[in-house]
Amino acid sequence: MHSRREWAWGYLLIAPMALGLAVFYLWPIAQTVYLSFTESGVFGGQTWVGTANFATLLGDEEMLGALRNTLLYAVLVLAGVPLSIVVAALLNVPGLRGLSVYRTLYFLPVVTMPAAVGLTWRYLFNGDFGAINHLLGAIGVDGPYWVGDPDFALYAIAIVGVWSTIGYNAVLFLAGLQGIPRPYYEAASIDGAGRVRQFFRITLPLLTPTTFFVLVITMINALQVFDLVFLMIDLKSPALSGSRTIVYLFFEKGFVQNQRGLAAAIAVVLLGLILVLTAIQFRLQKKWVHYE
C-alpha cells in the first residue's frame, strides 16, 4: 500500500499537466457546449435558446453538404494509408543506403507550413497555367479546372491531404516494420515462403497495431480539415459548395456571420462525430488487430 506522502507526491507531479489539460482543453470544451445552446447578440451577450441551434443544423443544406464533403474527404485520405505502407516497406529494405535522407524527404511535407503547402498546390492545380495541366497537355490530355470545378475541387484537396500525410504515416509504419522480429522471416524463408507471401502472412498481421493507430489519427485529422480548403478555394468560387467542410462551415458561421451559438453547435456535432467514429474503430479493432 502506498502512503499518503507518496500519493501526495504523485498528485503534485501530475498537477501541472492536469491544470494545463483543464484550462486549455476541458474548459474550452465546456464553454463550447454551453454556447451551442445559446444565441449571441449583435453587441455581445448570449440568450439561451435550448436545442434550437441543433434543430437548425438538421435542416440546413449547407450543414448536410459540409458533412458529406467532410466524410468523403476522410475516406479519400484514409485510402492513402496503403500507399504509406508501400513506402515504408520500400524504405525497410535491409542495407538501403541513404535511409535517413529518404525519411527526411518524405517527412518534409509534415513540417512545412500549411499556408505554403496550400498556396503551392493551388498554383500547381491552376486550370490555366498550372504545372499539372501543363504536363497533362504535353500528353494530349485536357486537364480540368481542379480547384475551380465543384466536381474536382474536393478530390484535388484530398490529393494534397494524402501527400501531406504519407511522410508521417510512413515513418510510423517504418518503425512498426523494424519492430517485427527477423526470425519470423527467416523461418518463413526456410519453409519456402517468398517475399510477397511473407508480406501478407507476416508483415501485414504484425503491422496491424501500427495500422490501427495510423487510421485513427488520420481519420481525426481528416475530419478537422480547414486550412487546405481555405487556402486553395476562393471565397466566391463555385467550387466552394462542393468542398466546404464542417470546420470551414464553423469558420463561416462563427467568424464571418457572427452566429457564435450556431458555430458552437457545429463544433459539438463535429466532436460527437469524431467520438462516434473513433469508438467504432476501437470496437472493430478487436476483430483485425493482432498483437504478438
Side-chain angles (χ1 to χ4, degrees):
M1 295 292 292
H2 296 286
S3 65
R4 291 185 176 180
R5 183 182 181 86
E6 291 174 323
W7 281 107
W9 270 109
Y11 283 121
L12 181 63
L13 291 174
I14 67 172
M17 179 63 72
L19 181 62
L21 180 66
V23 172
F24 296 107
Y25 288 92
L26 299 181
W27 177 245
I29 291 175
Q31 284 287 92
T32 301
V33 173
Y34 168 75
L35 288 175
S36 68
F37 295 101
T38 66
E39 181 179 8
S40 299
V42 178
F43 299 102
Q46 290 85 33
T47 303
W48 184 267
V49 295
T51 60
N53 289 325
F54 294 96
T56 301
L57 292 178
L58 287 176
D60 188 0
E61 290 295 329
E62 285 189 342
M63 179 61 186
L64 297 178
L67 178 61
R68 180 176 61 253
N69 294 336
T70 303
L71 293 177
L72 177 57
Y73 174 84
V75 171
L76 293 173
V77 173
L78 287 174
V81 171
L83 184 58
S84 300
I85 298 177
V86 173
V87 171
L90 293 175
L91 294 178
N92 195 46
V93 176
L96 179 65
R97 303 175 71 176
L99 177 60
S100 59
V101 176
Y102 290 124
R103 281 190 297 194
T104 301
L105 291 176
Y106 278 109
F107 201 77
L108 276 178
V110 182
V111 297
T112 304
M113 293 296 293
V117 171
L119 293 177
T120 301
W121 277 95
R122 178 175 176 174
Y123 167 77
L124 293 175
F125 278 124
N126 188 280
D128 294 318
F129 52 82
I132 293 177
N133 277 3
H134 178 74
L135 293 176
L136 291 176
I139 58 175
V141 178
D142 292 330
Y145 282 83
W146 295 93
V147 293
D149 190 330
D151 296 328
F152 289 96
L154 188 63
Y155 294 96
I157 295 172
I159 291 174
V160 183
V162 172
W163 175 83
S164 300
T165 57
I166 282 180
Y168 178 75
N169 293 342
V171 170
L172 294 176
F173 282 123
L174 184 60
L177 289 171
Q178 294 177 344
I180 299 176
R182 298 303 304 175
Y184 290 164
Y185 295 101
E186 295 171 0
S189 298
I190 294 174
D191 290 339
R195 288 185 176 273
V196 176
R197 185 161 189 155
Q198 290 178 23
F199 179 77
F200 285 100
R201 295 292 185 177
I202 298 176
T203 304
L204 284 185
L206 295 182
L207 200 60
T208 49
T210 305
T211 305
F212 171 67
F213 174 78
V214 168
L215 288 175
V216 171
I217 296 301
T218 302
M219 182 201 67
I220 293 175
N221 291 333
L223 292 174
Q224 300 178 76
V225 63
F226 166 75
D227 46 7
L228 292 179
V229 181
F230 182 76
L231 292 167
M232 296 178 63
I233 308 297
D234 288 328
L235 294 177
K236 297 181 180 180
S237 173
L240 183 59
S241 61
S243 55
R244 180 187 286 110
T245 60
I246 292 180
V247 179
Y248 193 94
L249 184 62
F250 163 81
F251 163 75
E252 286 185 326
K253 298 298 183 183
F255 296 94
V256 179
Q257 302 174 15
N258 198 33
Q259 301 182 39
R260 285 175 288 179
L262 196 60
I266 294 173
V268 172
V269 170
L270 177 60
L271 174 63
L273 179 63
I274 292 175
L275 291 176
V276 169
L277 293 180
T278 304
I280 292 174
Q281 285 189 305
F282 270 90
R283 184 80 174 181
L284 295 177
Q285 63 102 10
K286 298 178 182 179
K287 298 182 179 180
W288 64 274
V289 177
H290 306 282
Y291 296 96
E292 292 185 65

